[in-house]
């Protein structure tokens, strides 16, 4: 079955950087055939989408992270990355990788459209 495993979270001071990874398994050519995304959820807040990447590699970002976060994927390694720069205390949250099969030119930003989720990795940014 499809499995997503995140890593790379940790504690960092404001202004610092982290790179999150999400390794996908359970389906051939995973990153070629699945729309993938990063979400996060802070305590007491709803889960929010940060960035999505279509099967063809086109990306889309939430305004809150645009210009600071970069989403990329390595198809050979079935791995999704989220490079996070200029981190702020308000970026503190649990970060989740998500995926689902979608049409070539589509990639939803709604969490209800994603059927596969990782277990999450914690990011803590101190001021």
């Amino acid at each position: 079955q499809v499995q997503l495993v995140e890593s790379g979270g940790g504690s960092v001071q404001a202004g610092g950087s982290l790179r999150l990874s999400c390794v996908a398994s359970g389906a051939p050519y995973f990153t070629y055939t699945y729309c993938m995304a990063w979400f996060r959820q802070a305590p007491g807040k709803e889960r929010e989408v940060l960035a999505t990447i279509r099967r063809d590699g086109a990306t889309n970002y939430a305004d809150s992270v645009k210009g600071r976060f970069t989403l990329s994927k390595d198809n050979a390694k079935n791995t999704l990355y989220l490079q996070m720069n200029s981190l702020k205390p308000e970026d503190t949250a649990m970060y989740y990788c998500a995926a689902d099969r979608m049409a070539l030119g589509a990639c939803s930003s709604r969490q209800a459209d994603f059927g596969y989720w990782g277990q999450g990795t914690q990011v803590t940014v101190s001021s």
Side-chain angles (χ1 to χ4, degrees):
Q1 70 272 16
V2 171
Q3 187 174 18
L4 304 175
V5 179
E6 303 102 329
S7 63
S11 297
V12 65
Q13 289 194 325
S17 298
L18 285 172
R19 189 177 80 156
L20 305 184
S21 299
C22 171
V23 179
S25 62
Y29 308 107
F30 191 97
T31 53
Y32 283 114
T33 56
Y34 284 71
C35 157
M36 301 186 74
W38 284 98
F39 289 76
R40 70 183 178 192
Q41 187 167 20
K45 294 188 177 181
E46 293 187 355
R47 191 170 296 188
E48 61 171 336
V49 65
L50 300 178
T52 61
I53 187 164
R54 293 183 343 196
R55 292 165 55 187
D56 60 4
T59 55
N60 194 35
Y61 296 91
D63 288 343
S64 59
V65 303
K66 198 173 294 183
R68 298 190 299 125
F69 291 9
T70 303
L71 185 61
S72 62
K73 62 178 179 175
D74 185 331
N75 290 326
K77 296 181 179 180
N78 273 344
T79 301
L80 181 71
Y81 301 101
L82 184 67
Q83 178 65 44
M84 306 187 297
N85 298 328
S86 302
L87 283 162
K88 305 174 183 180
E90 52 263 43
D91 293 318
T92 295
M94 185 71 79
Y95 284 67
Y96 297 92
C97 174
D100 214 317
R101 296 180 70 99
M102 298 184 193
L104 181 60
C107 198
S108 175
S109 60
R110 300 191 320 139
Q111 61 173 310
D113 292 332
F114 290 88
Y116 303 104
W117 292 83
Q119 80 290 348
T121 186
Q122 178 68 38
V123 171
T124 302
V125 184
S126 58
S127 57

